[in-house]
Amino acid sequence: MSAVTATTAVRARRPRRDRRPVWDEKPSFLGKSAKALFLICYAAAIIVPLWAVLATSVATDDALARSGGDMVFLPTDVSFQAYREILSGGAVTKSLLFTLMLTAVGTAISLVLTVGAAYGLSRPGSVWHRKFLTAALVTLLFAPGMYPSYLVVQDLGLLNNMWSLILPVCFSAWNLIVLRTFFMTSVPGELIDAAKIDGAGEFRTMFKVVLPMSKAILAVIGLFYAVGYWNTYFLSVLYTPGLETKPIQVLIQQWLIASTQPSGQDAAAAAAISSGMDNAPAASLKMAAVVCTIIPIVVMYPFIQKHFTKAVITGAVKG
Amino acid sequence: MAVTTPAARTAAAPTKTKAPKARRRPLRHRLRLDWPLVVLTLPAMVQLAVFFYTPSAYSIIAFMDYSPYRPLWENPIIGFTHFQILFEDPYFVDALLNTLQFAFAQLLFVFPFSIVLALIMHSVVSTKIRSTFQSIVYLPYFFSWVLVVSVFAQVLGQDGLLSRWLVGMGGERLDIMRDPDSFMFLAWMQWTWKDAGWGMIIFLAALAAINPALYEAAAVDGANRWRRLWHITLPSIRPVIVLLLILQLGSILSVGFEQYQLQRAAVGWGASEVLDTFVYYRTILASNGESLGTAAGLFKGVIGLLLILAANNIAHRLGEQGIYQKS
């Protein structure tokens, strides 16, 4: 994955790399191997389950029968039948498309709100600056209860409506602080002043000067928002239990988690999801759905990973 | 935080030379100058007003004999009765105790695990190993709880990988995904799997910021690796540890909803009920629980607020930075 990019980046400055300082004593063999063992076990605990999910999703009936049922660890022959079935227009396809749209629309709205507020609050001394900032920061200290929030959504008529999965969570004060701090510390004030002198208004300064310099941090914040929307589960359980096309996480819960419980209603819901998918083993179908849920995250991840630390630190230190 | 004290105003002013001049002008003039900034900020403020401040105001339902069938202001105010009912309700007390247990388990076993992980990672000299390892352990943080529970069921469930292997070896099936008694351990494994790797990111950054000359000087003076850890590394990352501890304390009553709701059917409510699930099952799914649920939610919010303020105060007194004195 991103190990490849890391390697090339490191190779460029090879002379200084991987050098233990002269004053540092060499670690003992025992200490070194204990450390290696710990790291390997920890990484394996993360990778092995994911590998098993992937292997099962491409398994055939034969392979599953040989391994004795639900899981395959070493697939002998690979079949993409399960993916063909879940992506051929059934409940899973609809749900994936719905969640993709939810993620795209939600992330766009979130970024507009956050960028606007972060830029608007990046000039100490502007009108109502402290009032607005306080109003945003209070949200980090207190959280209104579940029922009052539900009541607001109900009053707005948004129950069982897609917008109830976006509007209540589309703005996060944490991301505001991260972005605002970035605007205030990493974009040189001289540039902004220069733009002003050249006659650019605030909007033009923002779009032409500040935002082009903030692409990396915008990508990270966008990822955080997008992952939040992609992982929508609680909000859907709370606000949209009656929605016909459910977010993918709710669908997976009904199909994989609830169906293992001895309740007639859940079993019926699970059966409805997989109806018409007869050519691939049931275990493969479920795992293929899980893989489809993981893929968007894994695809985005390497591009943005290198900026994580910066974003997290900015938010934590300057808050 | 953003308390509008005169000191804070004057402190903020010099950052922009124009600011003090603008402040003395009447509002009309300042608006003419700053209207684009206000326009940019307003959508977010409207979102907060509707989805944060309105529900916060609705918390008054906790003090009412509330019925959803009449307008809000026609409900009679009855004071703290619902809080009294709450604390006499064994279900609520159980949920509260469970929540505290989970929160302290996170504080005691996940948080230090992240620190240890960061220390070990930091001591790995090879950049290649480090970045590979980091990309692996950060990944599960972005998975939803639905995925985490599903993946766990595939490995630790009754028909999962481990059970199969154990049966193949002549042993018995694992039952940990359904056993209420070991749910705490299961929850710990899930937190560690999902969040501990991500938790180390901030410690790693703090470790990277330590001046290497300190280590060199200590080494020259004869301090071995453990003494350098104790006398340089840990004191250097102490502010970060304190900061994160305060934040964790503030959210001690909100351990989350999804992880517990998802596994509630498997392990039973007795082991998995926390405050959030209590409120959900009592108010949203049942009828006549509106005031009670709101009271529970308000209790949670107020305790969280008090804890974060108190923890920050203590941190200040101990000479630490705490979370807010800036901005």
Side-chain angles (χ1 to χ4, degrees):
Chain A
M1 216 164 30
S2 68
V4 184
T5 45
T7 329
T8 46
V10 160
R11 202 165 284 150
R13 47 184 168 86
R14 168 151 258 169
R16 291 188 48 219
R17 166 188 86 116
D18 292 7
R19 191 78 60 73
R20 185 173 287 282
V22 279
W23 43 264
D24 196 2
E25 63 265 45
K26 276 231 154 45
S28 68
F29 176 73
L30 197 69
K32 220 173 169 177
S33 31
K35 208 157 75 182
L37 191 72
F38 174 81
L39 290 183
I40 289 171
C41 284
Y42 188 60
I46 290 169
I47 290 180
V48 168
L50 296 181
W51 168 255
V53 166
L54 187 67
T56 309
S57 75
V58 295
T60 53
D61 267 325
D62 282 353
L64 279 167
R66 233 174 296 132
S67 81
D70 278 356
M71 286 303 272
V72 175
F73 194 65
L74 299 166
T76 37
D77 32 23
V78 172
S79 142
F80 291 99
Q81 186 60 28
Y83 289 92
R84 237 167 277 145
E85 300 232 315
I86 64 166
L87 295 178
S88 64
V92 183
T93 320
K94 278 189 199 141
S95 172
L96 279 170
L97 289 176
F98 172 73
T99 318
L100 268 181
M101 185 201 45
L102 180 79
T103 307
V105 174
T107 309
I109 293 180
S110 292
L111 279 178
V112 168
L113 289 191
T114 312
V115 167
Y119 186 82
L121 295 177
S122 64
R123 307 284 167 72
S126 64
V127 191
W128 300 326
H129 168 262
R130 294 211 81 84
K131 285 194 188 94
F132 284 157
L133 196 59
T134 313
L137 293 178
V138 166
T139 63
L140 301 177
L141 296 179
F142 179 78
M146 192 184 299
Y147 184 71
S149 307
Y150 180 85
L151 203 59
V152 169
V153 172
Q154 195 179 32
D155 285 354
L156 294 172
L158 293 179
L159 286 186
N160 289 325
N161 183 320
M162 183 192 114
W163 290 104
S164 67
L165 304 178
I166 294 178
L167 297 179
V169 289
C170 64
F171 177 68
S172 133
W174 276 120
N175 291 334
L176 166 75
I177 291 172
V178 171
L179 197 60
R180 175 180 175 266
T181 312
F182 182 86
F183 286 164
M184 289 174 69
T185 55
S186 303
V187 178
E190 291 82 4
L191 268 183
I192 297 173
D193 291 342
K196 285 260 170 59
I197 291 166
D198 288 347
E202 292 287 0
F203 292 106
R204 189 187 277 247
T205 314
M206 179 173 112
F207 283 113
K208 298 278 173 183
V209 179
V210 177
L211 292 189
M213 296 185 68
S214 322
K215 280 181 197 143
I217 194 113
L218 287 176
V220 177
I221 289 178
L223 173 87
F224 283 145
Y225 277 126
V227 167
Y229 289 114
W230 184 256
N231 287 346
T232 296
Y233 172 74
F234 169 60
L235 280 194
S236 178
V237 165
L238 189 61
Y239 296 143
T240 64
L243 211 59
E244 200 193 335
T245 310
K246 298 187 183 313
I248 186 72
Q249 310 290 346
V250 178
L251 184 120
I252 292 209
Q253 185 266 340
Q254 286 183 337
W255 201 12
L256 269 75
I257 301 174
S259 64
T260 58
Q261 307 310 322
S263 147
Q265 197 193 343
D266 292 334
I273 293 169
S274 57
S275 70
M277 305 177 182
D278 307 321
N279 294 323
S284 300
L285 287 172
K286 291 180 178 178
M287 288 309 109
V290 170
V291 172
C292 287
T293 321
I294 295 178
I295 279 177
I297 295 174
V298 175
V299 169
M300 297 292 289
Y301 183 70
F303 295 105
I304 299 180
Q305 193 212 359
K306 54 184 175 208
H307 308 299
F308 281 162
T309 312
K310 196 171 190 182
V312 173
I313 303 312
T314 333
V317 177
K318 304 294 168 75
Chain B
M1 193 181 346
V3 190
T4 334
T5 57
R9 276 165 182 259
T10 43
T15 48
K16 203 82 183 153
T17 40
K18 249 190 299 180
K21 211 160 139 205
R23 178 156 288 131
R24 264 177 252 117
R25 292 181 183 163
L27 185 64
R28 201 155 37 95
H29 290 218
R30 293 175 63 201
L31 267 180
R32 191 181 299 156
L33 203 68
D34 287 343
W35 69 266
L37 298 177
V38 174
V39 167
L40 285 169
T41 316
L42 266 184
M45 292 303 130
V46 170
Q47 197 273 347
L48 289 182
V50 174
F51 292 104
F52 179 82
Y53 286 100
T54 315
S56 297
Y58 276 1
S59 295
I60 195 170
I61 291 169
F63 304 99
M64 285 174 161
D65 182 18
Y66 178 81
S67 157
Y69 303 108
R70 52 189 176 215
L72 184 69
W73 57 91
E74 282 179 16
N75 293 291
I77 299 242
I78 54 166
F80 285 85
T81 317
H82 287 297
F83 292 91
Q84 205 177 341
I85 298 173
L86 265 188
F87 282 96
E88 285 161 6
D89 182 346
Y91 294 101
F92 174 76
V93 176
D94 276 357
L96 181 61
L97 291 179
N98 275 346
T99 309
L100 287 174
Q101 260 181 29
F102 287 124
F104 279 111
Q106 279 182 347
L107 215 57
L108 287 180
F109 299 115
V110 183
F111 186 66
F113 188 85
S114 291
I115 301 179
V116 173
L117 203 59
L119 290 174
I120 292 179
M121 276 297 294
H122 189 65
S123 73
V124 172
V125 178
S126 157
T127 339
K128 208 190 283 181
I129 294 178
R130 244 179 11 206
S131 63
T132 313
F133 188 76
Q134 273 168 305
S135 15
I136 294 171
V137 300
Y138 292 164
L139 185 61
Y141 174 76
F142 295 96
F143 292 173
S144 67
W145 276 112
V146 176
L147 278 182
V148 174
V149 173
S150 304
V151 169
F152 262 73
Q154 295 304 319
V155 178
L156 299 177
Q158 280 202 307
D159 296 318
L161 269 184
L162 265 183
S163 283
R164 234 157 251 303
W165 186 69
L166 285 173
V167 170
M169 303 278 285
E172 290 195 12
R173 287 177 183 282
L174 271 183
D175 200 26
I176 189 168
M177 294 292 288
R178 286 157 177 265
D179 184 4
D181 297 327
S182 60
F183 181 62
M184 177 67 83
F185 179 65
L186 178 70
W188 174 77
M189 284 198 289
Q190 290 167 343
W191 296 323
T192 311
W193 195 79
K194 187 180 191 299
D195 290 335
W198 182 259
M200 96 185 161
I201 199 172
I202 196 162
F203 296 115
L204 274 182
L207 288 171
I210 300 175
N211 184 354
L214 287 176
Y215 287 116
E216 189 171 355
V220 169
D221 286 348
N224 66 17
R225 130 169 336 123
W226 298 105
R227 302 201 53 147
R228 291 202 299 268
L229 175 75
W230 186 251
H231 291 292
I232 298 173
T233 312
L234 288 181
S236 302
I237 61 171
R238 198 178 57 193
V240 177
I241 296 180
V242 170
L243 176 94
L244 292 187
L245 263 180
I246 296 174
L247 289 177
Q248 289 249 324
L249 268 181
S251 58
I252 207 158
L253 291 185
S254 18
V255 286
F257 172 88
E258 302 189 350
Q259 188 188 9
Y260 308 97
Q261 192 258 351
L262 285 166
Q263 302 183 86
R264 181 183 166 99
V267 299
W269 63 266
S272 66
E273 188 85 300
V274 292
L275 286 181
D276 283 335
T277 53
F278 172 85
V279 173
Y280 174 70
Y281 286 101
R282 227 6 135 61
T283 57
I284 311 288
L285 289 195
S287 51
N288 293 329
E290 288 86 2
S291 285
L292 203 65
T294 311
L298 186 62
F299 170 76
K300 198 187 105 178
V302 170
I303 296 290
L305 176 66
L306 292 180
L307 278 174
I308 209 164
L309 294 179
N312 193 59
N313 196 321
I314 293 171
H316 278 305
R317 284 177 192 213
L318 293 178
E320 299 290 344
Q321 276 199 333
I323 12 176
Y324 48 81
Q325 68 277 55
K326 208 188 133 142
S327 83

